[in-house]
Amino acid sequence: MPKGQGEVVPEAPFRSYYGQPVVKQPIWHEPHMPTYLYLGGMSGAASAMAAVARLTGHERLELAARTAAFAGGTAGAAFLVAELGRPMRFLNMLRVFKPSSPMSVGSWTLAAQGGLTSVAMGSAVTGVLPVVGDAATLASGLSGVAMATYTAVLLADTAVPAWHEAMRELPFVFAGSALASAGAAVMLTTPRALAGPARAAAVAGAVTEVVAGEVMERRLGMLGEPYRKGRAGTLMRASRALTLGGGLLATVAGRSRALTALSGLAITAGALCTRFGVLEAGRVSARDPKYTVVPQRDRLDAGHPARVPGR
């Protein structure tokens, strides 16, 4: 073939410096961090449920939701401290408040959530200062909404490709999972005749989580691979099966204790699988340089400026 005719320059492969990852892998540990993400979200959604139950006069449901919010917040804080290594590291994050920092806002949200749920639960158990307890319950409903979603914002604000590019859907995935988890916890601790709103919350949360997760993986394209392959893929598939199955069981869980238990346990297991799966997907996407380099190159080819994740 004459020189210059029909020659095709092969597309240059993606590269990184000596084949090393372009971004740092998350250093969070298991089971500390994913369990904290689950417990914090459940606590936040349970606080919102307790506030609604207070406003609508569902006293028994409110007590169960207060208990779930307090237990989840307390246990979650313990897992967070275990992740950080010592309590002082968390206290140091409260030295300043930076509205531009998801970590700073999240730390203050967690502190407010813990304080309000403790006051609400203390009042419920002792009967002391019921007006203060009711006020704390209503206030924790507001902090709880933030608590149920801020961890997704925290992940999306990092440079990890599978998290950063999922910033649109990840808050809905976590919010749905938190609502389903809270609904499961409350319906497990409330008489079946009074647990109708908790079952409805579990169903709504399960549907939201599954739909948002499917939309996220489809929209991400190549960056959705870490959520579909390997250990993360196994965990995410298990999460969808358990969450959807638990949500379907919740629609008929009022018929027996066995169905209630199966539904609640399935939803709880699904929520944990979601957190572990999302964490693992982030690690995979940070470890493989193609998930950073290829999207950047595609944006440049399309005439868009390359974005720096996390900024």
Side-chain angles (χ1 to χ4, degrees):
M1 181 181 295
K3 185 177 180 180
Q5 294 184 13
E7 292 183 351
V8 178
V9 178
E11 182 180 2
F14 63 86
R15 293 181 180 178
S16 63
Y17 190 69
Y18 286 107
Q20 296 301 309
V22 179
V23 298
K24 291 183 178 180
Q25 296 184 49
I27 60 174
W28 294 329
H29 304 94
E30 295 182 1
H32 310 91
M33 198 62 185
T35 304
Y36 160 69
L37 296 178
Y38 157 73
L39 289 168
M42 187 274 288
S43 174
S47 291
M49 291 178 61
V52 173
R54 160 55 32 191
L55 293 173
T56 55
H58 292 80
E59 294 183 1
R60 183 61 181 81
L61 196 71
E62 178 194 356
L63 177 60
R66 282 195 194 191
T67 304
F70 170 74
T74 302
F79 275 97
L80 179 60
V81 169
E83 171 65 28
L84 294 174
R86 56 179 184 267
M88 282 305 300
R89 290 182 176 174
F90 175 74
L91 296 177
N92 286 338
M93 290 188 289
L94 300 177
R95 294 172 62 186
V96 295
F97 178 72
K98 295 175 62 177
S100 61
S101 168
M103 178 66 77
S104 177
V105 174
S107 299
W108 280 94
T109 299
L110 175 60
Q113 173 74 2
L116 290 170
T117 55
S118 296
V119 172
M121 190 62 197
S123 175
V125 171
T126 64
V128 176
L129 299 176
V131 174
V132 174
D134 292 345
T137 297
L138 295 176
S140 70
L142 298 177
S143 65
V145 172
M147 190 71 192
T149 55
Y150 102 86
T151 50
V153 178
L154 179 64
L155 297 183
D157 192 57
T158 67
V160 176
W163 297 345
H164 183 75
E165 298 299 328
M167 65 174 65
R168 299 180 190 174
E169 297 87 5
L170 202 56
F172 290 96
V173 173
F174 275 29
S177 180
L179 182 60
S181 302
V186 174
M187 73 180 185
L188 285 171
T189 55
T190 305
R192 296 195 311 278
L194 304 175
R199 291 192 292 269
V203 173
V207 171
T208 300
E209 178 187 354
V210 171
V211 171
E214 287 287 342
V215 171
M216 178 183 73
E217 291 184 23
R218 291 178 182 274
R219 185 185 66 81
L220 288 179
M222 184 193 75
L223 280 172
E225 289 179 0
Y227 292 101
R228 296 190 293 268
K229 297 181 178 180
R231 177 172 176 259
T234 300
L235 286 166
M236 296 305 287
R237 287 189 294 273
S239 168
R240 281 192 289 270
L242 289 165
T243 301
L244 193 57
L248 290 174
L249 283 174
T251 63
V252 295
R255 299 178 182 178
S256 72
R257 292 181 179 178
L259 289 175
T260 298
L262 285 174
S263 175
L265 292 175
I267 290 173
T268 299
L272 284 167
C273 284
T274 295
R275 303 315 196 281
F276 278 84
V278 169
L279 181 62
E280 178 64 17
R283 287 174 174 160
V284 171
S285 71
R287 188 162 54 240
D288 192 334
K290 78 175 182 180
Y291 294 118
T292 301
V293 177
V294 173
Q296 293 280 14
R297 187 177 63 191
D298 290 344
R299 282 191 286 269
L300 290 173
D301 291 342
H304 301 299
R307 296 200 310 270
V308 179
R311 293 187 181 178

